[in-house]
Amino acid sequence: MSKAELHIDGKKIELPIVEGSEEGKAIDISGIHARNGIITIDPGYSNTGSCKSAVAYVDGERGILNYRGYPIDQLARKSTFVETSFLLIYGHLPTADELSAFREKLVKNSLLHEDMLHFYDGYPTTAHPMGILSSMVCSLSSYYPDFLDPSNPEHVECLIPRVLSKIRTIAAFAYKKSIGQPVIYPCNSLDYCANFMNMMFAVPSEKYDIDPEIVKALNALLILHADNEQNCSTSTVRMVGSSDANLFASIAAGICALWGPKHGGANQKVVEMLQYIKDNNLNVKTLVAQAKDKNSGFRLMGFGHRVYKSYDPRAKVIKDMSRDLLAKLNRSDPLLDIAQELEAIALEDDYFIERKLYPNVDFYSGITYRAIGIPLNMFTVMFAIGRMPGWIAHWKEMHESSDNRIGRPRQVYTGSRVRDFVPIEQR
Ligand code: CMC
């Protein structure tokens, strides 16, 4: 095994190098403090690997994302969300029997405890559904107190289909409650995505036809969001789970992390930005200039990524998908035209070229959600439903790993040096 050398104050420290199965090497610094009393610092963890993982592989320079080795564009075209969820969580593509057993478990676990319906009554109609989603997912832990031990594989197996299935019911009910319509219960004869569409848009008073093109697009969208290795929300799920907090609590924390506009919340912000351009008849170049001006406090939403320094492979698929879907539905969306114009101008601009800022997954996803009929404030909820198998896979992988330790970063203290307490009358 090759080694790295670190020289501090004339002292040589040899550090092992960890090699991945694809491109990617890491210097193992875990023993430095114990042996030499010095830590490493890396705000935002841009150069820190927090774990070894076999779930997904990202090559940000080449714009590659594979789940368990399978390229995401192939999965988006050929797989279903349920099949890809199985792949991420259990590590292999399911056989027909495995898939049907997994589907059956999801079907059986789609209902919420009836008492949970009362929770929705406590929220104002203006409540953002991400807050509702997070608290409802955490509340699920109250209903399974005997199955919360992360080290017990039977408990974990019991909770996986529950959280994956119920998140979609929680999300659809939150939407129905916010618009004052009766909730539509899950229907066992429908598959995962069709069931979700039905819960979102059916009403008891008339028949709702589920468009297979929309179901296909939704499957692909959820697949494309299903994992992206150690992003902010997944790292949060791992961090919270590392204290042996239960699966529901860990995922609820991940949902909160995803909500932020620098992460999953960007999909809502992108469409708000495009709508603002349209409503105010703004010149797209003005907005690009504003994004370049550090004093404006404005960033081009849906652009840039910590890891992807070329076109985000997910954005590529979603961009084509949004165009195809609108064409199939025989619709147009002026926001798609604005988005394409914005992208073309930004990609020719030195500021974006030098910083390698490209459209990310959130740039075109909102336009596709609009075409499907998903309301604006539910966009990030859709991301959360999609990311669920990734969160579960990482949480499970972490607990099964032999080097699982509680996540506890260190710091370099920069505050006051030790001083004596001053009584209040002397201050
Ligand atoms: N518009 C304008 N400038 C930008 C943008 C942007 N969207 N993104 C980064 N920059 C600039 C930034 O000002 C900095 O410039 P300089 O080097 O002159 O100081 C440089 O590019 C590097 O940016 P950074 O903030 O250090 O990069 P980061 O890796 O810490 O942040 C990011 C990544 C995604 C938070 C950031 O690019 C951003 O805020 N983008 C807009 C929000 C967004 O679309 N988020 C979704 C991310 S992808 C999906 C997901 O993870 O959920």
Side-chain angles (χ1 to χ4, degrees):
M1 194 206 306
S2 53
K3 287 197 181 333
E5 280 180 10
L6 183 65
H7 295 261
I8 306 171
D9 298 335
K11 215 168 153 191
K12 185 175 94 178
I13 306 170
E14 278 200 343
L15 301 165
I17 301 221
V18 179
E19 290 195 31
S21 51
E22 290 270 4
E23 297 284 307
K25 288 183 185 176
I27 302 170
D28 181 349
I29 55 155
S30 56
I32 301 183
H33 183 262
R35 280 186 281 137
N36 302 85
I38 193 163
I39 63 165
T40 55
I41 188 160
D42 179 21
Y45 309 128
S46 43
N47 203 51
T48 296
S50 59
C51 60
K52 291 180 213 154
S53 175
V55 180
Y57 172 68
V58 173
D59 181 334
E61 296 300 324
R62 293 191 291 158
I64 291 172
L65 169 60
N66 302 335
Y67 298 161
R68 303 281 187 186
Y70 298 100
I72 45 132
D73 56 317
Q74 289 185 25
L75 292 167
R77 271 186 292 115
K78 298 179 181 172
S79 185
T80 62
F81 179 61
V82 170
E83 186 182 49
T84 296
S85 297
F86 184 101
L87 168 71
L88 283 167
I89 296 167
Y90 298 107
H92 63 275
L93 283 170
T95 62
D97 285 350
E98 284 172 328
L99 184 57
S100 97
F102 188 53
R103 270 204 196 110
E104 193 56 24
K105 282 188 192 166
L106 295 178
V107 163
K108 292 257 166 66
N109 285 293
S110 57
L111 282 170
L112 300 184
H113 191 294
E114 277 293 298
D115 290 351
M116 285 189 81
L117 264 71
H118 301 300
F119 297 0
Y120 290 101
D121 298 335
Y123 291 100
T125 47
T126 49
H128 195 286
M130 282 298 276
I132 300 177
L133 193 71
S134 167
S135 51
M136 294 292 263
V137 167
C138 201
S139 301
L140 285 173
S141 55
S142 329
Y143 295 88
Y144 306 99
D146 298 332
F147 290 91
L148 300 179
D149 178 1
S151 63
N152 184 329
E154 275 175 35
H155 290 197
V156 174
E157 271 315 300
C158 159
L159 297 191
I160 288 172
R162 285 189 160 86
V163 71
L164 186 57
S165 189
K166 290 181 200 302
I167 189 171
R168 153 195 72 151
T169 316
I170 293 173
F173 283 15
Y175 172 58
K176 285 297 196 191
K177 286 281 184 181
S178 75
I179 56 168
Q181 285 186 2
V183 299
I184 301 291
Y185 285 94
C187 168
N188 284 3
S189 61
L190 295 174
D191 76 19
Y192 191 96
C193 289
N195 211 341
F196 174 71
M197 292 302 287
N198 195 57
M199 284 193 275
M200 283 287 287
F201 301 115
V203 284
S205 45
E206 64 185 35
K207 192 170 176 300
Y208 173 70
D209 290 323
I210 304 164
D211 186 331
E213 285 301 337
I214 287 185
V215 170
K216 200 171 143 205
L218 185 55
N219 266 291
L221 270 174
L222 296 183
I223 289 170
L224 291 164
H225 285 86
D227 195 41
N228 198 32
E229 49 117 303
Q230 309 308 320
N231 55 85
C232 179
S233 57
T234 303
S235 302
T236 301
V237 170
R238 277 185 175 260
M239 174 66 93
V240 174
S242 76
S243 73
D244 282 352
N246 67 71
L247 180 64
F248 297 122
S250 309
I251 284 175
I255 293 171
C256 291
L258 185 74
W259 191 357
K262 286 185 178 170
H263 193 9
N267 59 12
Q268 178 175 341
K269 294 284 171 205
V270 169
V271 167
E272 285 170 357
M273 173 183 79
L274 299 173
Q275 192 68 51
Y276 179 77
I277 296 174
K278 180 175 173 291
D279 292 347
N280 295 285
N281 210 8
L282 277 185
N283 185 335
V284 165
K285 285 190 177 148
T286 316
L287 210 81
V288 170
Q290 208 182 326
K292 288 161 35 176
D293 175 7
K294 292 277 170 11
N295 298 321
S296 71
F298 170 74
R299 282 185 168 199
L300 208 52
M301 297 314 287
F303 256 75
H305 196 276
R306 171 65 60 79
V307 181
Y308 294 114
K309 299 301 171 195
S310 59
Y311 213 104
D312 182 331
R314 303 164 298 174
K316 211 178 272 174
V317 182
I318 297 177
K319 180 182 179 182
D320 292 345
M321 195 202 300
S322 63
R323 281 193 295 224
D324 289 355
L325 185 65
L326 284 166
K328 277 181 190 149
L329 299 175
N330 210 7
R331 274 194 240 149
S332 63
D333 185 344
L335 298 197
L336 175 60
D337 302 330
I338 296 173
Q340 292 186 115
E341 191 189 346
L342 197 56
E343 177 191 335
I345 291 172
L347 292 187
E348 284 193 353
D349 191 296
D350 285 345
Y351 175 96
F352 290 86
I353 295 169
E354 280 160 18
R355 290 169 181 74
K356 300 186 178 175
L357 302 172
Y358 292 85
N360 59 48
V361 67
D362 294 316
F363 195 65
Y364 287 104
S365 63
I367 290 167
T368 323
Y369 291 134
R370 267 162 70 90
I372 289 176
I374 306 289
L376 184 64
N377 71 351
M378 288 288 288
F379 288 4
T380 313
V381 170
M382 301 306 295
F383 195 151
I385 298 174
R387 188 52 56 91
M388 183 59 79
W391 289 333
I392 296 170
H394 282 275
W395 188 91
K396 184 169 173 285
E397 179 182 65
M398 181 187 72
H399 282 292
E400 287 167 356
S401 153
S402 57
D403 53 14
N404 175 25
R405 301 175 74 199
I406 189 166
R408 204 302 187 186
R410 290 176 180 263
Q411 63 163 21
V412 175
Y413 175 68
T414 59
S416 294
R417 301 204 61 152
V418 65
R419 47 186 168 167
D420 287 327
F421 178 79
V422 181
I424 195 160
E425 56 282 3
Q426 289 171 29
R427 284 177 225 158

